[in-house]
Amino acid sequence: MNYQWYPGHMTKARRQMQEDVKLIDLIIELVDARIPASSANPDINEIGKNKFRLILMNKSDLADPSMNKKWMDYYQQNGIKAIEINALNRATLKNINSIVMDVCQQKIERDRKRGIINRPLRAMVVGIPNVGKSTFINSFAGKASAKTGNKPGVTKGKQWIRLNKSIELLDTPGILWPKFESEKVGERLALIGSINDDIINTEELAITLIRYVREKYAGSLAERFKLENEDGEELILLESMAKSRGCLKSGGNYDLAKISSIVLDEFRSGKLGRITLDNPEELM
C-alpha cells in the first residue's frame, strides 16, 4: 500500500515556518526513537540550513535500548547533537537547557562581543505529527503551555513559550512532506500513528508490523497474544491473535479490523515490547 498524507494545512504550516525561521537561533527537532530516520522531515534541513540544530529522540522508552545506542553513536559520528528523551518524564529533560546553551555558544559569544548580554535564545520546536512536541514543551516548561493530543494535527497555530530568562520556544504544527522517498518510510510513519488512521488499511498495516516483529523480535507476538508459536503466513497469525483475544463477529468469523487496531495500539503504546523499526546501518 502506498502511504501518503499531506493535507492542505501542512502546506500553509510549512510556509509559516519559512517565515518564522528568520526569528530564531536554533531548531529543536523531535524524532520518534523507534524510527529516527523515517520521522525526520527532510524539509527541515532546507528550512533550517543556517540554524543551530538539536535532535531529541523522543519516546526512547518505547524503543529498543540497543538501537537507541546505535542511533546516538550514528549522530555523534556525523557531528549531530542529539539526546534521548521521554517527553512524559521530566527527569529526561533536565539537561536540555544546558545543551541548548552549549549548541548556541557561538551565537552567545557573538552577542557578547557586540555588547548584547542575556538576550534569550529563540528556538523553534519542529517535528512530524504525533511525535510529542506539545508534550515535550509542557514538560520542559513545567506547565500546560501547548495543546496536546494523541491524534496528528492538534497544534494548529503559532505559540511562543517563555521558558526562562535564557530560552524562548516557538511551537509549530506537526508537518510531513509532500512525497515520501520510499514506501518503507510511509509504512513506518503510519505504524507510529503519524498518518491519519482513517485513510489507511489497518489490516495491511498490522500484517506489515507482524512481518517485521516476527523477523526482528521473535517470540514477542507469541508471548503477548498467548500463542503456541508464530508460524505460518502473517494473515493466519493475525487470525490466531484474533481468536486469542476473542475478536469474533457474529457467525464466528474473525474480526480482523478489530484485532488489527489492537495490534497497532499495543505496538504504539509499547505493550509489544521495546521495538525499533529504523536501523542506522540502512543509511550507511
Side-chain angles (χ1 to χ4, degrees):
M1 181 175 176
N2 186 24
Y3 298 93
Q4 297 288 340
W5 187 53
Y6 195 69
H9 73 268
M10 291 189 184
T11 303
K12 182 179 177 181
R14 188 187 190 281
R15 285 198 297 264
Q16 187 63 56
M17 287 171 65
Q18 288 173 309
E19 287 298 311
D20 292 338
V21 78
K22 303 169 187 175
L23 309 174
I24 58 103
D25 307 300
L26 168 74
I27 289 181
I28 298 176
E29 182 177 12
L30 274 77
V31 299
D32 190 303
R34 295 167 295 182
I35 56 167
S38 299
S39 60
N41 186 338
D43 285 352
I44 301 302
N45 293 330
E46 177 61 27
I47 292 171
K49 59 185 175 184
N50 297 317
K51 300 296 178 179
F52 298 109
R53 299 286 295 273
L54 174 62
I55 301 288
L56 304 182
M57 281 190 20
N58 192 30
K59 306 186 183 182
S60 58
D61 58 309
L62 301 179
D64 183 333
S66 65
M67 294 302 294
N68 285 347
K69 184 179 185 310
K70 282 188 177 184
W71 276 105
M72 291 301 294
D73 290 344
Y74 170 83
Y75 288 130
Q76 185 176 16
Q77 290 163 12
N78 286 275
I80 301 168
K81 191 66 178 179
I83 58 173
E84 297 176 42
I85 69 163
N86 168 10
L88 294 171
N89 181 354
R90 291 190 67 194
T92 67
L93 311 180
K94 61 184 179 182
N95 296 325
I96 292 180
N97 202 80
S98 61
I99 292 171
V100 166
M101 304 301 284
D102 181 55
V103 170
C104 296
Q105 192 59 41
Q106 291 179 358
K107 153 77 174 168
I108 296 168
E109 288 297 325
R110 282 200 305 266
D111 283 353
R112 185 174 292 133
K113 288 176 181 177
R114 295 172 184 165
I116 302 169
I117 300 173
N118 296 328
R119 174 188 284 176
L121 293 168
R122 291 188 132 191
M124 178 188 285
V125 182
V126 302
I128 63 171
N130 212 31
V131 79
K133 295 186 313 300
S134 298
T135 301
F136 158 68
I137 290 173
N138 292 342
S139 296
F140 193 27
K143 57 184 182 296
S145 306
K147 296 175 183 177
T148 61
N150 59 2
K151 289 188 176 181
V154 172
T155 307
K156 293 284 196 294
K158 180 164 64 173
Q159 302 182 73
W160 280 102
I161 297 98
R162 182 73 178 263
L163 291 184
N164 49 48
K165 292 188 298 182
S166 304
I167 302 174
E168 293 179 352
L169 296 181
L170 175 60
D171 191 17
T172 61
I175 63 169
L176 295 168
W177 53 106
K179 187 171 179 58
F180 304 139
E181 51 269 39
S182 72
E183 183 176 334
K184 190 176 291 185
V185 168
E187 282 179 352
R188 293 176 181 181
L189 289 167
L191 282 168
I192 66 165
S194 291
I195 295 176
N196 193 330
D197 281 343
D198 294 338
I199 67 166
I200 62 179
N201 184 321
T202 55
E203 291 177 33
E204 283 188 21
L205 192 59
I207 285 173
T208 296
L209 179 64
I210 288 169
R211 185 179 301 120
Y212 181 88
V213 173
R214 182 165 64 173
E215 178 185 350
K216 302 293 184 180
Y217 297 91
S220 298
L221 297 171
E223 181 179 355
R224 181 65 190 167
F225 290 90
K226 298 180 171 55
L227 308 176
E228 290 184 10
N229 57 62
E230 297 177 349
D231 298 338
E233 296 181 3
E234 288 85 5
L235 179 59
I236 302 299
L237 189 54
L238 188 62
E239 291 175 346
S240 298
M241 295 156 85
K243 181 179 179 181
S244 174
R245 291 293 178 89
C247 296
L248 303 172
K249 296 179 179 179
S250 58
N253 294 322
Y254 298 118
D255 190 338
L256 296 183
K258 184 175 181 180
I259 190 60
S260 295
S261 293
I262 289 173
V263 172
L264 294 174
D265 287 344
E266 297 203 355
F267 162 70
R268 291 168 181 171
S269 64
K271 292 177 182 175
L272 279 185
R274 298 181 65 173
I275 294 169
T276 297
L277 306 177
D278 279 357
N279 189 327
E281 293 173 2
E282 295 174 349
L283 305 180
M284 297 174 184

